[in-house]
Every structure is written in structure tokens, then in C-alpha cells.
């Protein structure tokens, strides 16, 4: 860790509008994938669907080619935590499948992940895993609304998991969220648990991807020989939930949520920023 704070790219409202367009497209890609995921489909097929939709919309997949990454999506099944590479194995009933994707619109990146259970859940523990991961994400997002420092987001995620799961879920040590904008990964780090650092200052124009990754049981993991696949080694399954979020002078905007985060934030007592796409102020109307 350096002594000087890393330089954070603060975005103008005009730039946040383009990031919202990037995020809204990514939201629609995730909606499409949610409809297509079912037993029998391969993760390669899901990857092709996402790739073609992003391209057809005139955008660019940002994972593809990133440090040599070979696909549009990361699809992580069961004990794979993150960065699973799509392949030709058909999904099965009860699989826990996290889909992580991103795109670039006019130079501005988005990044978001969801975890699905294919068909009927195998266990209550799997349902809890997915629900608590999603909850931890929204707890972190809601904390950002009033945070002075990014570390408050990390603390909210840690507390949410501890309260909902006790010791039954572990975070993925060493991985976390990040700034996002003209690159997919920028400063500041957004850890999923408390650290010694208070984190970067929160101010209008800050855009971050918040992304809790949770594992059933102990948090041990290993990196596979492909240098990407992160696999849990304690016998548990894993989930991942992620949104890209903008701090604006009118509140928080969840760039990769269909409604800009309005509904989930309201449930937590936070009013979302007005969605710049909703009034036709420079893009397609939000759906
Ligand atoms: N959302 C992922 C992350 O922030 C992006 C993975 S980059 C890729 O870690 F190259 F693996 F695609
Ligand atoms: Co990310």
C-alpha cells in the first residue's frame, strides 16, 4: 500500500450518463441470460448469447481479451467462486451459477454479476448463499449513500454477512470491488470486509463496482492451472453479486440496475438519484 492516496477518476454528470447507458445495456444482457439459463444449456452458449447481444447493440465486451481472458463472461459454477471460463459442459438442475459480465459504451465501462440457481435449488443452504450475497451487495450499496469513506461500504458488507450467516459463509480473501470508468478496474479498492484502511473519500463523481463473493463454510481457495478459475477447496459452493454504482450530487445511481437501484435502495431507506435515462435526457428510455 502506498502512502499517497491513489488517483481516483471523478466523472462528470455527462460521463455518468454514458456509464448509465453502458450499465443499462449490461442489465438487459443479464435479463436475457436469466431467461435463457436452464438445465442443458452450456456456459459457452450463454457466453455467445451475451457476446452477440453486446455487439448487436454497438457496444464492446470488456472482459474479452482483458489480460488475455478468453470470453465475454465469467461463469462460475458451484465450487468455482469467480473467473470461471465458459465451456461446453451442460448446466444441471440445482447448479449455483454466477454470471459476471461487462461492456464498453463510447469508452465507458460497466461490470455486474448475478448468481442463479438452475431449476430447483438443491438445498436451503444454496438459497441462503445466493440471497445473503445479494443482500450483502445492497447493504454495501446503501452504505455508500451516506459514507464518507469507501471503508464504510466494506464494513457494511462484512456486518451484513456476519448477521445473516454467522460463520457459515466466508468471504473470498484477497478479492474485492474496484473503481470503474474509462477502464474496468481503477482505484479505489472496495474490499468486502474491514481492513486497516478507511478507504478512498466518497464524493460526487466516484464510480465503483461493489462485488461481494461468498463461499459456504471455510474460505479456502486455489487458482487453477488456467490462471483464472478460482475454486473453493473447503467443499462449499460460492456466489457473487455485483453492481456498478455512481455517486452523484443528487444521490446514488446504480448504473447496472434496471431501475437505477430505486426499489432496493428504498427498501433500505435510501432515495436513489433520478435516472438520467428515464426522462429521455440523452439515451434510450429505460425499460
Ligand atoms: N468483474 C470481474 C472483476 O472485477 C471482472 C473479471 S475480468 C476478466 O474481477 F478478465 F476475468 F474477465
Ligand atoms: Co468487477
Amino acid at each position: 500500500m502506498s502512502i499517497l492516496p491513489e488517483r481516483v477518476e471523478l466523472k462528470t454528470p455527462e460521463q455518468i450518463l454514458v456509464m448509465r447507458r453502458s450499465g443499462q445495456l449490461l442489465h438487459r444482457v443479464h435479463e436475457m441470460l436469466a431467461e435463457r439459463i436452464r438445465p442443458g444449456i452450456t456456459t459457452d452458449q450463454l457466453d455467445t448469447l451475451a457476446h452477440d447481444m453486446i455487439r448487436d447493440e454497438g457496444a464492446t465486451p470488456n472482459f474479452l481479451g482483458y489480460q488475455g481472458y478468453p470470453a465475454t463472461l465469467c461463469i462460475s459454477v458451484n465450487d468455482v467462486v469467480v473467473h470461471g471460463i465458459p465451456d461446453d459442459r451442460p448446466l444441471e438442475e440445482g447448479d449455483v451459477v454466477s454470471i459476471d459480465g461487462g461492456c464498453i459504451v463510447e469508452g465507458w465501462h460497466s461490470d455486474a454479476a448475478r448468481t442463479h440457481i438452475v431449476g430447483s435449488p438443491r438445498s436451503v443452504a444454496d438459497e441462503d448463499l445466493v440471497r445473503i450475497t445479494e443482500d450483502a451487495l445492497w447493504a454495501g450499496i446503501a452504505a455508500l449513500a451516506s459514507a464518507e469513506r469507501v471503508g464504510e461500504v466494506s464494513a457494511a458488507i462484512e456486518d451484513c454477512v456476519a448477521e445473516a450467516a454467522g460463520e457459515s459463509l466466508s468471504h473470498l480473501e484477497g478479492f474485492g470491488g474496484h473503481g470503474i470508468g474509462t477502464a474496468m478496474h481503477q482505484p479505489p479498492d472496495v474490499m468486502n470486509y474491514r481492513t486497516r484502511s478507511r478507504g478512498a473519500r466518497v464524493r460526487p463523481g466516484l464510480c465503483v463496482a461493489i462485488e461481494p463473493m461468498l463461499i459456504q463454510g471455510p474460505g479456502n481457495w486455489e487458482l487453477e492451472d488456467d490462471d483464472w478459475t478460482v475454486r473453493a477447496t473447503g467443499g462449499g459452493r460460492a456466489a457473487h453479486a455485483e453492481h456498478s454504482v455512481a455517486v452523484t450530487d443528487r444521490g446514488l445511481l446504480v448504473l447496472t440496475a434496471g431501475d437505477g437501484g430505486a426499489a432496493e435502495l428504498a427498501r433500505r431507506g435510501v432515495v436513489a438519484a433520478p435516472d438520467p435515462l428515464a426522462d429521455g435526457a440523452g439515451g434510450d428510455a429505460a425499460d
Side-chain angles (χ1 to χ4, degrees), residues 36 57 72 84 90 121-122 132 157 166 223 231:
R36 295 302 195 100
E57 297 284 340
T72 294
R122 191 191 61 161
I132 294 168
I157 293 171
L223 184 65
R231 191 181 293 276

Side-chain angles (χ1 to χ4, degrees), residues 39-161:
I41 197 164
T42 69
T43 52
D44 271 341
Q45 287 173 313
L46 292 171
D47 192 72
T48 299
L49 287 166
H51 178 271
D52 292 353
M53 180 168 172
I54 291 169
R55 285 290 185 194
D56 287 349
E57 297 284 340
T60 308
N62 50 2
F63 290 16
L64 188 61
Y66 177 84
Q67 293 182 6
Y69 188 73
T72 294
L73 302 173
C74 296
I75 307 185
S76 305
V77 182
N78 295 336
D79 58 339
V80 177
V81 193
V82 288
H83 301 170
I85 300 173
D87 62 20
D88 58 6
R89 201 187 65 162
L91 293 176
E92 293 173 19
E93 188 93 10
D95 279 347
V96 174
V97 182
S98 83
I99 301 183
D100 191 355
C103 67
I104 312 170
V105 170
E106 292 169 23
W108 294 91
H109 289 248
S110 54
D111 183 4
R114 290 189 194 179
T115 299
H116 305 269
I117 297 179
V118 180
S120 306
R122 191 191 61 161
S123 66
V124 174
D126 285 356
E127 292 179 279
D128 287 347
L129 167 71
V130 173
R131 178 177 46 80
I132 294 168
T133 306
E134 186 100 347
D135 257 13
L137 168 61
W138 284 102
I141 295 172
L144 182 64
S146 54
E148 281 178 30
R149 296 277 182 168
V150 164
E152 293 163 57
V153 173
S154 309
I157 293 171
E158 179 181 318
D159 289 346
C160 176
V161 176

Side-chain angles (χ1 to χ4, degrees), residues 100 111 176-178 184-185 209 211 240 242:
D100 191 355
D111 183 4
H178 47 88
M184 174 163 59
H185 290 148
E211 50 179 321
H240 178 203
E242 176 177 24

Side-chain angles (χ1 to χ4, degrees), residues 175-251:
F175 290 77
H178 47 88
I180 183 165
T182 55
M184 174 163 59
H185 290 148
Q186 300 182 325
D189 288 335
V190 186
M191 304 309 287
N192 291 321
Y193 43 89
R194 284 183 179 80
T195 67
R196 293 182 54 178
S197 166
R198 299 166 66 203
R201 190 178 295 281
V202 176
R203 50 183 136 209
L206 177 73
C207 294
V208 289
I210 301 175
E211 50 179 321
M213 302 155 230
L214 296 175
I215 306 169
Q216 293 167 339
N220 311 347
W221 59 273
E222 66 185 15
L223 184 65
E224 300 219 320
D225 288 341
D226 60 22
D227 275 343
W228 286 105
T229 307
V230 174
R231 191 181 293 276
T233 54
R237 293 177 156 190
H240 178 203
E242 176 177 24
H243 274 304
S244 301
V245 182
V247 178
T248 81
D249 48 18
R250 301 179 70 186

